[in-house]
C-alpha cells in the first residue's frame, strides 16, 4: 500500500513540475513577444494581428526580425496590404480544410425491380 501511495505522489509531483514548466515557458514567450512588439512599434500591429490570427506557430526571433524589417522598408498602406493578404490566405486555407473534411457518401443505385 505504501508503494502505491508513493508512486501516486511521485506521478502527481511530475505532473505538477511539467505544468509549472509549461506555464513558465508560456510566460517567457509572452514577455519575449511583448518586447519584440515594442521594438517593432505600432506600425507592425497589422502584421502581428494577422500572424496571430493565422496561428501557424509560435513566432521565433527571426520572425520578429522579419516583421521589423518589413515595417521599416514598407509604407503603412503596403503593410496593411500584406496583412490583408495573410488574412485572405488564412481564410482560403480554412475553407480548403473544411471542404476536405466533409464526408463523401457513396452513390447507391437501386435496381428497378
Amino acid at each position: 500500500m505504501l508503494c502505491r501511495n508513493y508512486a501516486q505522489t511521485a506521478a502527481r509531483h511530475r505532473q505538477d513540475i511539467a505544468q509549472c514548466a509549461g506555464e513558465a515557458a508560456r510566460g517567457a514567450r509572452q514577455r519575449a513577444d511583448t518586447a519584440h512588439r515594442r521594438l517593432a512599434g505600432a506600425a507592425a500591429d497589422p502584421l502581428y494581428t494577422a500572424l496571430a490570427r493565422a496561428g501557424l506557430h509560435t513566432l521565433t526571433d527571426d520572425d520578429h526580425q522579419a516583421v521589423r524589417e518589413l515595417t521599416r522598408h514598407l509604407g503603412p498602406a503596403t503593410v496593411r496590404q500584406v496583412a490583408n493578404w495573410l488574412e485572405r490566405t488564412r481564410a482560403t486555407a480554412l475553407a480548403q480544410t473544411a471542404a476536405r473534411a466533409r464526408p463523401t457518401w457513396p452513390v447507391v443505385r437501386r435496381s428497378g425491380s
Side-chain angles (χ1 to χ4, degrees), residues 23-41:
E23 290 171 4
R26 278 189 295 279
R29 277 194 307 271
Q30 286 175 343
R31 286 189 298 280
D33 283 349
T34 301
H36 281 293
R37 283 174 179 251
R38 199 174 305 124
L39 282 172

Side-chain angles (χ1 to χ4, degrees), residues 8-18:
Q8 289 172 344
T9 302
R12 272 188 248 119
H13 181 68
R14 284 191 299 275
Q15 288 173 345
D16 290 344
I17 290 173

Side-chain angles (χ1 to χ4, degrees), residues 22-109:
E23 290 171 4
R26 278 189 295 279
R29 277 194 307 271
Q30 286 175 343
R31 286 189 298 280
D33 283 349
T34 301
H36 281 293
R37 283 174 179 251
R38 199 174 305 124
L39 282 172
D45 284 346
L47 285 176
Y48 277 120
T49 300
L51 289 169
R53 285 181 48 82
L56 301 175
H57 58 82
T58 303
L59 297 178
T60 64
D61 289 343
D62 290 339
D63 297 331
H64 288 291
Q65 180 65 32
V67 168
R68 285 195 299 273
E69 290 295 318
L70 282 172
T71 56
R72 186 176 333 150
H73 296 293
L74 302 177
T78 307
V79 169
R80 279 193 302 278
Q81 286 177 338
V82 170
N84 288 339
W85 173 78
L86 284 169
E87 186 62 32
R88 286 192 312 273
T89 302
R90 173 186 168 271
T92 302
L94 289 173
Q96 288 175 350
T97 301
R100 274 185 261 144
R102 289 189 191 128
T104 56
W105 303 102
V107 176
V108 177
R109 297 183 189 262

